[in-house]
Amino acid sequence: MRRTGPNSLRGFMRSHIQFLCRRVALAALACTFFYFVVCTADAQRLPETVIPTHYTLTLTPDLKTATFSGVEKIDVNLKEATKSITLNAAEIAFQSVTVHPNGAEQTAQVSLDPQKEQATFTFPKMIQAGSAVLSVRYTGILNNELRGFYLSKTERRNYAVTQFEPTDARRAFPCFDEPAFKAAFDISLVVDQNDTAISNGPIISDTPGPGAGKHRLTFGTTPKMSTYLVAFLVGDFACTTGREDDVDIRVCSTPDKVALTAYGLDVAKFALHYYNGYFGIPYPLKKLDLIALPDFEAGAMENFGAITYRETDLLIDPKAASVQAKENVAIVVTHEMAHQWFGDLVTMQWWNNIWLNEGFATWMENKATAAFNKAWNLPLFVASDEQRTLDLDAQPTTRAIRAKADTPDEINQMFDGISYGKAGDVLLMVENYLGAETFRKGVHAYLAAHLYGNATAEDFWNAQTAVSRKPVNKIMDSLVAQPGVPILTFGEPANGHVTVHQTRFFLDPRQKPDAAQQWTLPVCFKNASGNADCELLTPTTSSLKVPAAPQFFANAEGKGYYRTSYAPADYTKLVAQIETGLGPAERISLTGDEWAQVRANQAKVGDYLQLVAALKDDGNAEVVSSALTNITTIYERLAATPEERARLSTWIDRTFAPVLAKLGPATASDDDNTRRLRAELLETVGDYGNSPEVRGMARQIADLYLSNPASVDATIGQAALAVAARNGDATWFDKFENAYETSDNPEFKTNALELLAEFRSPALVKRALDYAMSDKVRNQDAFIQFAIPLTNGETRDEAWDYMKANWDKVQAQLTTSTGGYLVSYTGYFCSPEARDDVKSFFTSHKVPASDVSLRHAIEHIDGCIEFRSLQEQNLKNWLDLQPGL
């Protein structure tokens, strides 16, 4: 989940896989600044002449043969007379299709278009406009692709579960599989007598049969909702129950993990009450289930009333969990529960506005989680995460928040760092400009106007404009319709005003901005009392009013979605007073701006290192983490020789090891911030420094943690494990493998598996990759095991050679979605030779739906080559000036 604290690339990648990548549409590589753009393809939209109003579904899954049968009735309204009806279907075998208009029955001929995933029912006679009922009998497969209606497996048994967003409901039942075709659902499941089932509504009847050893579970009628929000899950789930605001809440899992459900229930109860109060619209269903699944490609899915999760995103023991794990579960739970209003109750009209779902849920999760536990100081993580999003959006290949998306491939690519991160950051900026209560009233007005319906971007910002009487429509239109990041260049303030020039910012210095691209932005200046005075910058503005203040800072609280550049004297003053004159979020913002200028070759890397050194004693874990993330990038991407890396390691030791020592060993009285800060420093110094003492300390902690997890604070224990793995031998590898195979703790188990991919010796790299291809690793996890060694310079060549030599076996471990993402990770190379090799290999070894991924991998390699050519000498020069290096 992206809300983790570990400075390691492994932890950062995992966070994106678990959340930003909820759909494992892995915006995956926001950390590597990749970006998937929309491809051109023929539209696959359904006609709007047939409107579904109600589905009645009975499904009978056979978990042994991995098949299911379905009986379906769809009430439809025909806008005009027709002899044919087209809807969506994939991997469905039709047995019979009839229509009943006004009591007369006709039998259809069925024609399939597999490419468009559509079925057309053609009838002998014209069906008149008005109401009709389609009756369908069909069969399907419980696939292993982690989408549609699929099998999820444990050592004990199989489960049948669903994942329909964005376009996979059609694999479970023929349907009008587009978000605007909302309808009510009556669902029944015929399952083994010892199994239960979960769906969107509560169980209203449980009757024996049909057939020996079966029982039929019938669920209550749902509200009108989109097909992608339907869910049905079959197995022997066990649940912990609670109640909040007259809603029954359950957190469910496989029986062996039910003891880990209580924390998620506490979060869910808090979030339900919080959202009922914030939105002013009560949660609309009678029950809410949260279900952890053994096999689940995404992080979580907001099915109306039946939210599904990866086990690591819902199940933890709070007494043994790290701070990051508890934050992660809280944020994923609050994100998905926010969707019950944003996305489920009110749904975007079409996928081009998926940000109305994901951006809102991202913005809302932070508010709810911050209220759930103020000690986590979520606003600082939001400020830090915004820096990653700004860097992502400063790539040449970024897109606008709202973009064309008609085919399943195009739609899947919309679940990325723009729909989640940028959209959430833009909403935060607008809320900050309007004031929290005014913005909340606008949110309520928007939701209330579209209950159980669909909405567009204009519906949202017009509601905010009407409530606030400020030009929210102009602000948001400029940010939603245009790609990229603005940079605001300020002159020196004089007489209460400052000149300002806006243009588009690129990390790549070879890119030239279009002067015609302009934004309307609220710019918030820090005033003398430490608060914000906001002014509106428009395309015609060249000067803004500024308040009197000890220093000039143009992104108060770090909530503006823009980069800043100051006059030299003003910037020098900000740096000199960064710890005393700026708040923590503002320090993150200023540091992020400086790093962006280094990437764009407008500043030298040594300037950034000096700025980080000034923050070494900062007591806020997120401030330090944000700065150290870029230090690791300098080590991995810019320092090109062993000598340069050794000298940089010495500087890391000299700068941060004393800070780590000052914190001392973990104690029971440590607050969460101190625990995270200690872990950040241990992992950075232990991995990128060269201190034998720190690595020895990490090994001692790791050994104790592996042998008795309850004896060590999990936050420092996880960091110590990472250091031990990266510097470990075969004995340590055996320990991690054993921990993965024997632990019943999802967090501990997942971390142990991922750390197998962190070992550096060639023999252990091969052993880890062999293990990733074994039946001991789930498909949902295999991709990350191949990706991790590609991110590290010491293991990249070995991993790449292995994958090329064993490509057929590697590809067999990948799901439909993750093949393209693995292609993306080859973008970590940083040489012309490697670039040409990557391009040649994937030209001759085609990976489905990876053409865009390959183009961006090549682009990223070229970007690294350029970055190194511009800044490597600057790094050498700076190192030469440091005493003792």
Side-chain angles (χ1 to χ4, degrees), residues 492-527:
E492 293 188 11
N495 301 317
H497 287 80
V498 66
T499 60
V500 59
H501 172 73
Q502 63 164 297
T503 190
R504 182 172 173 181
F505 176 75
F506 290 100
L507 289 176
D508 184 347
R510 297 168 295 181
Q511 300 295 320
K512 303 302 178 187
D514 180 355
Q517 188 174 1
Q518 300 281 289
W519 289 263
T520 299
L521 299 168
V523 180
C524 297
F525 299 100
K526 191 177 183 73
N527 61 29

mmCIF file of all heavy atoms in Angstrom, residues 492-527:
data_model
loop_
_atom_site.group_PDB
_atom_site.id
_atom_site.type_symbol
_atom_site.label_atom_id
_atom_site.label_comp_id
_atom_site.label_asym_id
_atom_site.label_seq_id
_atom_site.Cartn_x
_atom_site.Cartn_y
_atom_site.Cartn_z
ATOM 1 N N GLU A 492 11.376 38.739 -6.922
ATOM 2 C CA GLU A 492 11.507 39.133 -5.513
ATOM 3 C C GLU A 492 10.305 39.974 -5.111
ATOM 4 O O GLU A 492 9.932 40.913 -5.817
ATOM 5 C CB GLU A 492 12.799 39.918 -5.303
ATOM 6 C CG GLU A 492 14.053 39.081 -5.498
ATOM 7 C CD GLU A 492 15.306 39.843 -5.098
ATOM 8 O OE1 GLU A 492 15.158 40.923 -4.473
ATOM 9 O OE2 GLU A 492 16.404 39.365 -5.384
ATOM 10 N N PRO A 493 9.659 39.649 -3.994
ATOM 11 C CA PRO A 493 8.501 40.435 -3.564
ATOM 12 C C PRO A 493 8.885 41.893 -3.304
ATOM 13 O O PRO A 493 9.979 42.189 -2.785
ATOM 14 C CB PRO A 493 8.068 39.752 -2.270
ATOM 15 C CG PRO A 493 8.670 38.383 -2.326
ATOM 16 C CD PRO A 493 9.947 38.538 -3.079
ATOM 17 N N ALA A 494 7.978 42.790 -3.658
ATOM 18 C CA ALA A 494 8.192 44.227 -3.422
ATOM 19 C C ALA A 494 6.838 44.922 -3.320
ATOM 20 O O ALA A 494 5.932 44.643 -4.119
ATOM 21 C CB ALA A 494 9.015 44.833 -4.567
ATOM 22 N N ASN A 495 6.692 45.742 -2.292
ATOM 23 C CA ASN A 495 5.478 46.545 -2.128
ATOM 24 C C ASN A 495 4.209 45.680 -2.079
ATOM 25 O O ASN A 495 3.160 46.053 -2.617
ATOM 26 C CB ASN A 495 5.357 47.572 -3.257
ATOM 27 C CG ASN A 495 6.550 48.506 -3.311
ATOM 28 O OD1 ASN A 495 7.025 48.982 -2.264
ATOM 29 N ND2 ASN A 495 7.062 48.755 -4.510
ATOM 30 N N GLY A 496 4.327 44.538 -1.414
ATOM 31 C CA GLY A 496 3.155 43.679 -1.235
ATOM 32 C C GLY A 496 2.754 42.891 -2.454
ATOM 33 O O GLY A 496 1.655 42.292 -2.463
ATOM 34 N N HIS A 497 3.595 42.834 -3.478
ATOM 35 C CA HIS A 497 3.281 42.065 -4.683
ATOM 36 C C HIS A 497 4.520 41.289 -5.121
ATOM 37 O O HIS A 497 5.645 41.608 -4.723
ATOM 38 C CB HIS A 497 2.819 42.988 -5.819
ATOM 39 C CG HIS A 497 1.440 43.542 -5.611
ATOM 40 N ND1 HIS A 497 1.188 44.624 -4.771
ATOM 41 C CD2 HIS A 497 0.234 43.174 -6.136
ATOM 42 C CE1 HIS A 497 -0.108 44.893 -4.777
ATOM 43 N NE2 HIS A 497 -0.700 44.029 -5.604
ATOM 44 N N VAL A 498 4.289 40.314 -5.961
ATOM 45 C CA VAL A 498 5.392 39.546 -6.535
ATOM 46 C C VAL A 498 5.034 39.176 -7.963
ATOM 47 O O VAL A 498 3.886 38.836 -8.261
ATOM 48 C CB VAL A 498 5.693 38.270 -5.702
ATOM 49 C CG1 VAL A 498 4.540 37.281 -5.747
ATOM 50 C CG2 VAL A 498 6.992 37.615 -6.154
ATOM 51 N N THR A 499 5.992 39.269 -8.844
ATOM 52 C CA THR A 499 5.758 38.830 -10.214
ATOM 53 C C THR A 499 5.803 37.308 -10.266
ATOM 54 O O THR A 499 6.529 36.659 -9.508
ATOM 55 C CB THR A 499 6.799 39.408 -11.178
ATOM 56 O OG1 THR A 499 8.103 38.978 -10.767
ATOM 57 C CG2 THR A 499 6.752 40.929 -11.187
ATOM 58 N N VAL A 500 5.035 36.748 -11.181
ATOM 59 C CA VAL A 500 4.980 35.303 -11.310
ATOM 60 C C VAL A 500 4.790 34.934 -12.776
ATOM 61 O O VAL A 500 4.047 35.589 -13.506
ATOM 62 C CB VAL A 500 3.846 34.705 -10.438
ATOM 63 C CG1 VAL A 500 2.487 35.279 -10.816
ATOM 64 C CG2 VAL A 500 3.828 33.186 -10.531
ATOM 65 N N HIS A 501 5.479 33.897 -13.166
ATOM 66 C CA HIS A 501 5.350 33.377 -14.524
ATOM 67 C C HIS A 501 5.090 31.881 -14.432
ATOM 68 O O HIS A 501 5.760 31.165 -13.689
ATOM 69 C CB HIS A 501 6.636 33.626 -15.324
ATOM 70 C CG HIS A 501 6.659 32.955 -16.662
ATOM 71 N ND1 HIS A 501 5.905 33.378 -17.724
ATOM 72 C CD2 HIS A 501 7.348 31.860 -17.101
ATOM 73 C CE1 HIS A 501 6.123 32.591 -18.771
ATOM 74 N NE2 HIS A 501 7.000 31.667 -18.417
ATOM 75 N N GLN A 502 4.099 31.388 -15.157
ATOM 76 C CA GLN A 502 3.794 29.964 -15.130
ATOM 77 C C GLN A 502 4.089 29.326 -16.481
ATOM 78 O O GLN A 502 3.909 29.912 -17.537
ATOM 79 C CB GLN A 502 2.325 29.715 -14.756
ATOM 80 C CG GLN A 502 1.288 30.277 -15.727
ATOM 81 C CD GLN A 502 -0.094 29.654 -15.501
ATOM 82 O OE1 GLN A 502 -0.278 28.448 -15.667
ATOM 83 N NE2 GLN A 502 -1.044 30.501 -15.104
ATOM 84 N N THR A 503 4.565 28.084 -16.413
ATOM 85 C CA THR A 503 4.797 27.279 -17.601
ATOM 86 C C THR A 503 4.762 25.826 -17.188
ATOM 87 O O THR A 503 4.766 25.503 -15.995
ATOM 88 C CB THR A 503 6.135 27.637 -18.274
ATOM 89 O OG1 THR A 503 6.227 27.006 -19.547
ATOM 90 C CG2 THR A 503 7.313 27.183 -17.419
ATOM 91 N N ARG A 504 4.732 24.931 -18.149
ATOM 92 C CA ARG A 504 4.723 23.502 -17.831
ATOM 93 C C ARG A 504 6.135 23.043 -17.483
ATOM 94 O O ARG A 504 7.107 23.436 -18.137
ATOM 95 C CB ARG A 504 4.183 22.693 -19.016
ATOM 96 C CG ARG A 504 4.106 21.201 -18.729
ATOM 97 C CD ARG A 504 3.401 20.443 -19.836
ATOM 98 N NE ARG A 504 3.472 19.001 -19.627
ATOM 99 C CZ ARG A 504 2.947 18.102 -20.450
ATOM 100 N NH1 ARG A 504 2.322 18.505 -21.551
ATOM 101 N NH2 ARG A 504 3.057 16.807 -20.187
ATOM 102 N N PHE A 505 6.226 22.192 -16.452
ATOM 103 C CA PHE A 505 7.510 21.702 -15.974
ATOM 104 C C PHE A 505 7.746 20.271 -16.449
ATOM 105 O O PHE A 505 6.856 19.415 -16.379
ATOM 106 C CB PHE A 505 7.551 21.731 -14.442
ATOM 107 C CG PHE A 505 8.805 21.152 -13.862
ATOM 108 C CD1 PHE A 505 9.992 21.865 -13.903
ATOM 109 C CD2 PHE A 505 8.796 19.886 -13.291
ATOM 110 C CE1 PHE A 505 11.156 21.320 -13.375
ATOM 111 C CE2 PHE A 505 9.946 19.345 -12.759
ATOM 112 C CZ PHE A 505 11.136 20.062 -12.806
ATOM 113 N N PHE A 506 8.934 19.997 -16.933
ATOM 114 C CA PHE A 506 9.359 18.647 -17.309
ATOM 115 C C PHE A 506 10.604 18.264 -16.521
ATOM 116 O O PHE A 506 11.513 19.084 -16.348
ATOM 117 C CB PHE A 506 9.692 18.565 -18.795
ATOM 118 C CG PHE A 506 8.513 18.673 -19.718
ATOM 119 C CD1 PHE A 506 8.209 19.869 -20.347
ATOM 120 C CD2 PHE A 506 7.701 17.575 -19.964
ATOM 121 C CE1 PHE A 506 7.133 19.967 -21.210
ATOM 122 C CE2 PHE A 506 6.619 17.663 -20.820
ATOM 123 C CZ PHE A 506 6.331 18.860 -21.455
ATOM 124 N N LEU A 507 10.670 17.023 -16.078
ATOM 125 C CA LEU A 507 11.901 16.523 -15.471
ATOM 126 C C LEU A 507 12.999 16.375 -16.517
ATOM 127 O O LEU A 507 14.176 16.514 -16.209
ATOM 128 C CB LEU A 507 11.649 15.179 -14.798
ATOM 129 C CG LEU A 507 10.821 15.181 -13.512
ATOM 130 C CD1 LEU A 507 10.593 13.760 -13.045
ATOM 131 C CD2 LEU A 507 11.494 15.988 -12.418
ATOM 132 N N ASP A 508 12.616 16.070 -17.739
ATOM 133 C CA ASP A 508 13.562 15.885 -18.823
ATOM 134 C C ASP A 508 13.927 17.248 -19.413
ATOM 135 O O ASP A 508 13.083 17.920 -20.012
ATOM 136 C CB ASP A 508 12.944 15.001 -19.907
ATOM 137 C CG ASP A 508 13.920 14.680 -21.035
ATOM 138 O OD1 ASP A 508 14.981 15.322 -21.121
ATOM 139 O OD2 ASP A 508 13.601 13.787 -21.839
ATOM 140 N N PRO A 509 15.179 17.690 -19.259
ATOM 141 C CA PRO A 509 15.544 19.023 -19.745
ATOM 142 C C PRO A 509 15.475 19.167 -21.259
ATOM 143 O O PRO A 509 15.491 20.284 -21.781
ATOM 144 C CB PRO A 509 16.978 19.214 -19.233
ATOM 145 C CG PRO A 509 17.494 17.838 -19.017
ATOM 146 C CD PRO A 509 16.312 17.011 -18.605
ATOM 147 N N ARG A 510 15.369 18.053 -21.966
ATOM 148 C CA ARG A 510 15.280 18.133 -23.426
ATOM 149 C C ARG A 510 13.882 18.539 -23.899
ATOM 150 O O ARG A 510 13.710 18.944 -25.048
ATOM 151 C CB ARG A 510 15.655 16.786 -24.049
ATOM 152 C CG ARG A 510 17.087 16.342 -23.787
ATOM 153 C CD ARG A 510 17.299 14.886 -24.168
ATOM 154 N NE ARG A 510 16.507 13.988 -23.338
ATOM 155 C CZ ARG A 510 16.518 12.670 -23.436
ATOM 156 N NH1 ARG A 510 17.312 12.089 -24.337
ATOM 157 N NH2 ARG A 510 15.776 11.913 -22.647
ATOM 158 N N GLN A 511 12.896 18.448 -23.026
ATOM 159 C CA GLN A 511 11.527 18.784 -23.400
ATOM 160 C C GLN A 511 11.300 20.290 -23.305
ATOM 161 O O GLN A 511 11.742 20.930 -22.348
ATOM 162 C CB GLN A 511 10.532 18.064 -22.487
ATOM 163 C CG GLN A 511 10.639 16.554 -22.539
ATOM 164 C CD GLN A 511 10.278 15.994 -23.897
ATOM 165 O OE1 GLN A 511 9.329 16.461 -24.537
ATOM 166 N NE2 GLN A 511 11.023 15.007 -24.348
ATOM 167 N N LYS A 512 10.602 20.832 -24.279
ATOM 168 C CA LYS A 512 10.307 22.264 -24.297
ATOM 169 C C LYS A 512 8.805 22.472 -24.112
ATOM 170 O O LYS A 512 8.001 21.930 -24.861
ATOM 171 C CB LYS A 512 10.756 22.896 -25.620
ATOM 172 C CG LYS A 512 12.238 22.682 -25.923
ATOM 173 C CD LYS A 512 13.131 23.227 -24.815
ATOM 174 C CE LYS A 512 14.615 22.956 -25.106
ATOM 175 N NZ LYS A 512 15.480 23.337 -23.941
ATOM 176 N N PRO A 513 8.407 23.257 -23.111
ATOM 177 C CA PRO A 513 6.973 23.444 -22.851
ATOM 178 C C PRO A 513 6.303 24.285 -23.925
ATOM 179 O O PRO A 513 6.928 25.128 -24.569
ATOM 180 C CB PRO A 513 6.954 24.154 -21.493
ATOM 181 C CG PRO A 513 8.272 24.852 -21.411
ATOM 182 C CD PRO A 513 9.253 23.978 -22.138
ATOM 183 N N ASP A 514 5.019 24.059 -24.096
ATOM 184 C CA ASP A 514 4.188 24.862 -24.991
ATOM 185 C C ASP A 514 3.751 26.108 -24.229
ATOM 186 O O ASP A 514 3.068 26.008 -23.202
ATOM 187 C CB ASP A 514 2.980 24.034 -25.428
ATOM 188 C CG ASP A 514 2.054 24.789 -26.377
ATOM 189 O OD1 ASP A 514 2.297 25.993 -26.628
ATOM 190 O OD2 ASP A 514 1.073 24.180 -26.846
ATOM 191 N N ALA A 515 4.133 27.261 -24.715
ATOM 192 C CA ALA A 515 3.822 28.515 -24.017
ATOM 193 C C ALA A 515 2.323 28.747 -23.884
ATOM 194 O O ALA A 515 1.874 29.487 -22.999
ATOM 195 C CB ALA A 515 4.476 29.692 -24.745
ATOM 196 N N ALA A 516 1.543 28.113 -24.735
ATOM 197 C CA ALA A 516 0.092 28.323 -24.692
ATOM 198 C C ALA A 516 -0.567 27.558 -23.550
ATOM 199 O O ALA A 516 -1.728 27.823 -23.213
ATOM 200 C CB ALA A 516 -0.525 27.903 -26.023
ATOM 201 N N GLN A 517 0.133 26.582 -22.960
ATOM 202 C CA GLN A 517 -0.467 25.805 -21.885
ATOM 203 C C GLN A 517 -0.396 26.583 -20.580
ATOM 204 O O GLN A 517 0.690 26.870 -20.067
ATOM 205 C CB GLN A 517 0.229 24.451 -21.736
ATOM 206 C CG GLN A 517 -0.482 23.525 -20.757
ATOM 207 C CD GLN A 517 0.099 22.135 -20.711
ATOM 208 O OE1 GLN A 517 1.069 21.819 -21.405
ATOM 209 N NE2 GLN A 517 -0.475 21.266 -19.888
ATOM 210 N N GLN A 518 -1.544 26.906 -20.019
ATOM 211 C CA GLN A 518 -1.652 27.722 -18.806
ATOM 212 C C GLN A 518 -2.719 27.129 -17.902
ATOM 213 O O GLN A 518 -3.610 26.412 -18.338
ATOM 214 C CB GLN A 518 -2.032 29.166 -19.166
ATOM 215 C CG GLN A 518 -1.042 29.880 -20.080
ATOM 216 C CD GLN A 518 0.174 30.400 -19.332
ATOM 217 O OE1 GLN A 518 0.088 31.355 -18.571
ATOM 218 N NE2 GLN A 518 1.299 29.749 -19.551
ATOM 219 N N TRP A 519 -2.637 27.475 -16.616
ATOM 220 C CA TRP A 519 -3.580 26.968 -15.628
ATOM 221 C C TRP A 519 -4.212 28.114 -14.850
ATOM 222 O O TRP A 519 -3.673 29.228 -14.785
ATOM 223 C CB TRP A 519 -2.865 26.064 -14.621
ATOM 224 C CG TRP A 519 -2.408 24.743 -15.135
ATOM 225 C CD1 TRP A 519 -3.063 23.545 -15.008
ATOM 226 C CD2 TRP A 519 -1.195 24.439 -15.837
ATOM 227 N NE1 TRP A 519 -2.339 22.538 -15.583
ATOM 228 C CE2 TRP A 519 -1.188 23.050 -16.103
ATOM 229 C CE3 TRP A 519 -0.118 25.212 -16.283
ATOM 230 C CZ2 TRP A 519 -0.152 22.416 -16.776
ATOM 231 C CZ3 TRP A 519 0.918 24.577 -16.959
ATOM 232 C CH2 TRP A 519 0.895 23.208 -17.201
ATOM 233 N N THR A 520 -5.329 27.804 -14.225
ATOM 234 C CA THR A 520 -5.917 28.659 -13.197
ATOM 235 C C THR A 520 -5.706 27.955 -11.865
ATOM 236 O O THR A 520 -6.195 26.829 -11.673
ATOM 237 C CB THR A 520 -7.405 28.895 -13.454
ATOM 238 O OG1 THR A 520 -7.562 29.558 -14.715
ATOM 239 C CG2 THR A 520 -8.025 29.751 -12.354
ATOM 240 N N LEU A 521 -4.963 28.602 -10.954
ATOM 241 C CA LEU A 521 -4.505 27.933 -9.735
ATOM 242 C C LEU A 521 -4.657 28.824 -8.510
ATOM 243 O O LEU A 521 -4.353 30.021 -8.573
ATOM 244 C CB LEU A 521 -3.010 27.579 -9.853
ATOM 245 C CG LEU A 521 -2.564 26.640 -10.965
ATOM 246 C CD1 LEU A 521 -1.040 26.685 -11.067
ATOM 247 C CD2 LEU A 521 -3.038 25.238 -10.690
ATOM 248 N N PRO A 522 -5.069 28.257 -7.386
ATOM 249 C CA PRO A 522 -4.939 28.977 -6.120
ATOM 250 C C PRO A 522 -3.496 28.863 -5.623
ATOM 251 O O PRO A 522 -2.967 27.756 -5.510
ATOM 252 C CB PRO A 522 -5.904 28.250 -5.188
ATOM 253 C CG PRO A 522 -6.034 26.880 -5.756
ATOM 254 C CD PRO A 522 -5.760 26.972 -7.228
ATOM 255 N N VAL A 523 -2.866 29.986 -5.377
ATOM 256 C CA VAL A 523 -1.489 30.015 -4.880
ATOM 257 C C VAL A 523 -1.539 30.545 -3.451
ATOM 258 O O VAL A 523 -2.012 31.655 -3.216
ATOM 259 C CB VAL A 523 -0.590 30.903 -5.753
ATOM 260 C CG1 VAL A 523 0.836 30.918 -5.215
ATOM 261 C CG2 VAL A 523 -0.623 30.423 -7.202
ATOM 262 N N CYS A 524 -1.056 29.741 -2.517
ATOM 263 C CA CYS A 524 -1.186 30.068 -1.100
ATOM 264 C C CYS A 524 0.175 30.437 -0.515
ATOM 265 O O CYS A 524 1.107 29.624 -0.506
ATOM 266 C CB CYS A 524 -1.798 28.902 -0.336
ATOM 267 S SG CYS A 524 -3.488 28.515 -0.871
ATOM 268 N N PHE A 525 0.285 31.662 -0.024
ATOM 269 C CA PHE A 525 1.528 32.198 0.532
ATOM 270 C C PHE A 525 1.510 32.071 2.055
ATOM 271 O O PHE A 525 0.475 32.282 2.700
ATOM 272 C CB PHE A 525 1.702 33.665 0.153
ATOM 273 C CG PHE A 525 1.778 33.906 -1.328
ATOM 274 C CD1 PHE A 525 0.668 34.349 -2.035
ATOM 275 C CD2 PHE A 525 2.956 33.690 -2.023
ATOM 276 C CE1 PHE A 525 0.722 34.573 -3.392
ATOM 277 C CE2 PHE A 525 3.031 33.909 -3.385
ATOM 278 C CZ PHE A 525 1.909 34.349 -4.080
ATOM 279 N N LYS A 526 2.655 31.764 2.621
ATOM 280 C CA LYS A 526 2.786 31.681 4.074
ATOM 281 C C LYS A 526 2.829 33.091 4.639
ATOM 282 O O LYS A 526 3.628 33.923 4.200
ATOM 283 C CB LYS A 526 4.060 30.928 4.436
ATOM 284 C CG LYS A 526 4.198 30.527 5.905
ATOM 285 C CD LYS A 526 5.470 29.728 6.099
ATOM 286 C CE LYS A 526 5.628 29.248 7.535
ATOM 287 N NZ LYS A 526 4.697 28.149 7.842
ATOM 288 N N ASN A 527 1.950 33.381 5.622
ATOM 289 C CA ASN A 527 1.917 34.720 6.185
ATOM 290 C C ASN A 527 2.666 34.778 7.520
ATOM 291 O O ASN A 527 3.235 33.775 7.974
ATOM 292 C CB ASN A 527 0.478 35.233 6.321
ATOM 293 C CG ASN A 527 -0.375 34.363 7.239
ATOM 294 O OD1 ASN A 527 0.135 33.720 8.169
ATOM 295 N ND2 ASN A 527 -1.679 34.344 6.990
#
